[in-house]
Amino acid sequence: MLNDLPIDQLRSLVTISETSSFTLAAEKLYRTQPALSLQIKKLEERVGTPLLARNGRSIGVTEAGKVLVDYAHKILDLSEEAVARLSVTETEGIVSIGVLEEVTIGPLVQLLTKFGRLCTKVRIELNVSTSFQLAQDIKANTLCLAVANNSYAHGHTIPLWQENYLWAHNPIHDLLSQDSIPLVIDTESPCILQDKGIKDIEAQYTKWHVAFSSISLSAMQAAVRAGLGVGFLPESAMTPDIIPIDLDQVPTSRPTTIALYRSTEAKSDAVNTLADFLIAHLQTAPFLTQLHMV
């Protein structure tokens, strides 16, 4: 009779489904292949149906296996959340954090919501701004943490992920054949990457002009989508109707590092807990995949 599903066996099943290999899964879980095979055998006996099937050299997941993998993800997430909550349940305080708008349209807000469930005594104050302004706020100690382009850092930052910024347009509007290329940019905030991007445009097109200016990423997306101009946008802001333009003789994108800034005066347990939480989640492949699917 089925009473419960052991966490270790579920974790093994999920890892094998992700790697399609007993060898790779064993390496990730620091187990031997025979031990992993025995775990799966016991789990299959427990549920009364095959969960994995060989497909040539790779390992596939049966239909029953897919169902259990979905449940296993939820069970493992809840287990992780429970352990994390127990370890930080008494942490309390206020943490002011600034983030780029392009980060807020991705899964970061979901991460902060998850953190709020774990640390109910920590109050988060969220501020959305440009990288330049966030770096200034960190320097002035008016923010505890910030997630921003590290080009403006005045001190140590912790790299989180690489982001590409590029020129993009709505392809149904013929903008690149005009005598002067209309641009959708931010003319209010200093931006090293945007300055380099404009030089890229100048290298290929004789004339350009500012057709629309805003510090809001959402407003810039709307302007590009409406055909007002070619916008300088992060790769994570691309959508089916906003695609990169093709520059023949210049870089197609400008890469930068999105990093975690921290004020020199932010030393509380609440700040430490949130910083560790963000680093653990924002540097992982699942987060990056979600970010670029937005």
Side-chain angles (χ1 to χ4, degrees):
M1 181 178 179
L2 179 62
N3 294 317
D4 55 32
L5 297 171
I7 290 290
D8 284 350
Q9 293 177 9
L10 293 178
R11 184 174 289 108
S12 296
L13 175 65
V14 167
T15 306
I16 294 170
S17 72
E18 292 173 345
T19 60
S20 299
S21 166
F22 272 93
T23 301
L24 295 176
E27 291 176 357
K28 291 186 68 173
L29 295 172
Y30 300 100
R31 294 181 177 274
T32 64
Q33 289 187 53
L36 207 59
S37 297
L38 181 59
Q39 278 196 326
I40 296 302
K41 181 181 179 182
K42 289 182 177 179
L43 184 59
E44 289 179 329
E45 291 175 349
R46 199 169 195 83
V47 299
T49 186
L51 300 172
L52 300 175
R54 290 195 174 275
N55 183 16
R57 294 185 176 181
S58 65
I59 303 297
V61 183
T62 65
E63 289 303 313
K66 292 177 182 178
V67 171
L68 187 54
V69 166
D70 286 340
Y71 279 107
H73 277 294
K74 297 174 184 177
I75 293 170
L76 292 171
D77 285 345
L78 286 172
S79 175
E80 176 190 344
E81 183 175 317
V83 172
R85 175 125 190 217
L86 289 172
S87 65
V88 298
T89 186
E90 297 305 316
T91 302
E92 59 182 300
I94 301 173
V95 182
S96 58
I97 178 172
V99 298
L100 289 170
E101 185 179 357
E102 46 261 49
V103 181
T104 64
I105 65 175
L108 178 62
V109 173
Q110 297 175 11
L111 285 180
L112 292 176
T113 301
K114 180 178 180 180
F115 179 84
R117 293 198 304 267
L118 295 173
C119 300
T120 56
K121 296 182 180 180
V122 175
R123 189 176 82 199
I124 296 176
E125 297 178 346
L126 183 64
N127 177 47
V128 179
S129 189
T130 64
S131 289
F132 176 80
Q133 186 58 53
L134 292 173
Q136 295 297 313
D137 292 340
I138 287 291
K139 183 180 180 182
N141 294 306
T142 56
L143 285 175
C144 298
L145 302 170
V147 177
N149 178 345
N150 73 345
S151 298
Y152 306 96
H154 299 283
H156 176 67
T157 62
I158 299 176
L160 298 174
W161 75 88
Q162 288 291 119
E163 179 72 275
N164 290 318
Y165 285 74
L166 37 79
W167 291 106
H169 67 145
N170 186 333
I172 68 172
H173 301 284
D174 185 14
L175 303 175
L176 302 180
S177 63
Q178 298 183 15
D179 292 336
S180 178
I181 306 299
L183 300 185
V184 174
I185 58 177
D186 174 7
T187 59
E188 297 184 34
S189 308
C191 182
I192 296 172
L193 285 175
Q194 182 177 270
D195 292 343
K196 292 179 179 179
I198 290 175
K199 290 185 181 299
D200 294 339
I201 287 289
E202 291 174 340
Q204 185 157 339
Y205 301 100
T206 306
K207 298 179 180 180
W208 60 270
H209 65 277
V210 178
F212 182 92
S213 175
S214 176
I215 64 172
S216 167
L217 175 63
S218 298
M220 292 175 67
Q221 282 180 304
V224 172
R225 189 173 289 114
L228 295 183
V230 177
F232 193 69
L233 304 172
E235 185 179 6
S236 56
M238 297 298 103
T239 59
D241 54 357
I242 299 179
I243 64 172
I245 67 171
D246 184 17
L247 298 177
D248 295 332
Q249 301 174 350
V250 295
T252 56
S253 65
R254 287 288 180 176
T256 190
T257 299
I258 305 299
L260 181 68
Y261 289 64
R262 180 167 180 166
S263 165
T264 56
E265 295 183 1
K267 300 177 180 179
S268 69
D269 288 342
V271 173
N272 292 338
T273 301
L274 180 55
D276 291 343
F277 178 85
L278 291 176
I279 293 168
H281 286 81
L282 298 185
Q283 289 180 333
T284 62
F287 170 81
L288 300 181
T289 299
Q290 293 177 60
L291 178 69
H292 290 93
M293 287 176 63
V294 173

